[in-house]
Amino acid sequence: MENEHLRHCLPRDLASGIAELPVEFIYLDGNATNNRTTRRLPITGEILDGKKSYKNILPYFTTSEITPERVNEIGQERLKALYPQIIAIAKNVTGKSNEAEAVTAFRKILTNQSSFYNDAPFPQIESNSTAHKRCTDLTKARKYCPERYKSLLKWMSTCRETMSMLSPKLIPLFYHTGDKITFPNCPIEMLPSFNPSSSAQFFRSTGAACTKPARFGLPFFLENHGPRFSEWSVTAHESWPGHHTQVQAQIEYFKDKYGGVPKWIDDLTSYTFFTEGWGLYSENPVIAEDTDTYKEHPMQRFGMLKWQV
């Protein structure tokens, strides 16, 4: 995998989306070679078509009849509405009125090491295959990956503080008691993921009986931990009012308990359109517009807009 397959992975700017796939040339170590791809499946010889594949895949992620063209239109509409807000934040934070100058200066802020929980780049010995084998739990991470361990503790602490900050703001927005209760009772705890391939925060639900807490996962082996400016938005997305509120509440209050066909359908069906859609909706407008969370906090508001865009 490491010495053969991974070397042929596409650069990030080419690997985003499938509309332009398959590519014309085989890539090696991030660069195109002179060898052309067949653009066909190896066994059937069927011609690969990224746009057609996207159209075929789309129905599995939503129950609506939305087309790829309409998805693109919605994206463009949202971009036109949100991007000017990002430019306004860039000008405000950098103090520059010229858009190009503000964007350039703002990008430097975003990529500065101070935007992350680790004060300096992680040592190679804590990021290579040896570290992947050594640092497989918190105890071992503390011993063999001390810089990552210290950074992780800061990251986890900030996530907990963010959840505590968000919690009282959600009281007027959801039913917490009574017949209409929709806010889950099960607690949520931080869960570091030591899987080297884990690349993003995640949520893991628990059973309706709450015999153990739900989990909010943080990837340990990222190039940098964070960024800080996305923390409020991502925490809202993964915990409350995001996945924890929607998914865990569904398990506790609405999941079929009587078996038969309804339970079978319930267990087998899941639509990313709903779960991730709710996660984004939780970020904006629930947190962004229905609370005062981002007031006087332009960098955190940018973190929310970044994921919306």
Side-chain angles (χ1 to χ4, degrees):
M1 176 66 77
E2 180 178 359
N3 297 320
E4 184 174 345
H5 296 287
L6 288 180
R7 296 186 66 193
H8 292 289
C9 289
L10 296 175
R12 290 183 180 180
D13 58 333
L14 292 176
S16 178
I18 63 174
E20 303 303 322
L21 298 181
V23 293
E24 186 175 357
F25 295 96
I26 295 174
Y27 277 72
L28 181 64
D29 298 332
N31 299 306
T33 67
N34 293 324
N35 299 320
R36 292 181 178 273
T37 61
T38 64
R39 298 197 172 197
R40 293 175 180 272
L41 290 174
I43 298 177
T44 65
E46 181 182 355
I47 297 176
L48 292 168
D49 186 332
K51 292 182 179 180
K52 181 180 178 181
S53 297
Y54 182 81
K55 185 176 182 179
N56 291 337
I57 292 170
L58 189 59
Y60 291 93
F61 291 88
T62 171
T63 56
S64 73
E65 298 296 328
I66 192 169
T67 65
E69 290 75 20
R70 181 54 186 151
V71 170
N72 182 263
E73 289 174 1
I74 293 173
Q76 294 298 326
E77 291 168 3
R78 295 300 293 156
L79 183 62
K80 289 180 180 179
L82 298 175
Y83 189 70
Q85 298 180 42
I86 293 177
I87 296 301
I89 291 174
K91 290 180 177 180
N92 177 38
V93 171
T94 63
K96 297 182 181 295
S97 58
N98 179 274
E99 180 176 327
E101 293 178 357
V103 169
T104 299
F106 194 57
R107 283 175 174 168
K108 291 181 179 179
I109 294 174
L110 300 181
T111 57
N112 189 279
Q113 197 64 47
S114 63
S115 290
F116 302 93
Y117 293 99
N118 45 307
D119 298 327
F122 291 121
Q124 182 64 22
I125 192 61
E126 296 189 20
S127 304
N128 58 19
S129 58
T130 300
H132 298 164
K133 296 175 182 177
R134 284 178 169 179
C135 304
T136 55
D137 58 42
L138 281 174
T139 301
K140 294 176 181 177
R142 183 178 183 180
K143 180 178 181 180
Y144 297 113
C145 297
E147 295 304 316
R148 285 187 175 276
Y149 176 79
K150 288 188 293 184
S151 174
L152 177 70
L153 293 185
K154 288 191 289 185
W155 194 4
M156 293 171 65
S157 177
T158 300
C159 289
R160 294 190 186 100
E161 292 172 1
T162 302
M163 285 190 283
S164 296
M165 178 269 292
L166 292 174
S167 183
K169 297 179 184 294
L170 302 175
I171 292 176
L173 305 181
F174 296 88
Y175 287 100
H176 291 253
T177 59
D179 295 338
K180 297 181 180 180
I181 185 171
T182 54
F183 208 82
N185 280 315
C186 292
I188 183 170
E189 289 187 358
M190 306 308 303
L191 174 69
S193 172
F194 295 95
N195 185 337
S197 64
S198 181
S199 59
Q201 293 97 315
F202 60 89
F203 171 74
R204 187 175 296 169
S205 60
T206 188
C210 300
T211 55
K212 58 182 180 180
R215 304 289 189 175
F216 177 3
L218 300 179
F220 185 72
F221 283 109
L222 287 181
E223 181 179 356
N224 287 293
H225 285 168
R228 295 175 183 269
F229 55 76
S230 291
E231 205 56 65
W232 292 6
S233 186
V234 174
T235 298
H237 182 112
E238 301 296 344
S239 62
W240 47 70
H243 292 327
H244 181 255
T245 300
Q246 182 196 36
V247 177
Q248 190 59 42
Q250 190 268 340
I251 292 172
E252 292 182 33
Y253 308 124
F254 304 106
K255 193 173 180 64
D256 184 271
K257 302 176 182 178
Y258 301 102
V261 174
K263 184 178 187 304
W264 176 72
I265 295 175
D266 187 30
D267 289 342
L268 291 180
T269 55
S270 175
Y271 292 96
T272 304
F273 189 87
F274 291 152
T275 53
E276 294 306 324
W278 175 259
L280 287 173
Y281 182 79
S282 297
E283 298 175 47
N284 184 24
V286 176
I287 293 299
E289 305 299 336
D290 295 342
T291 75
D292 62 351
T293 300
Y294 295 121
K295 187 178 181 180
E296 308 299 333
H297 296 283
M299 289 302 295
Q300 290 294 338
R301 182 171 180 80
F302 164 75
M304 175 273 296
L305 291 170
K306 168 183 175 291
W307 288 110
Q308 296 285 310
V309 168

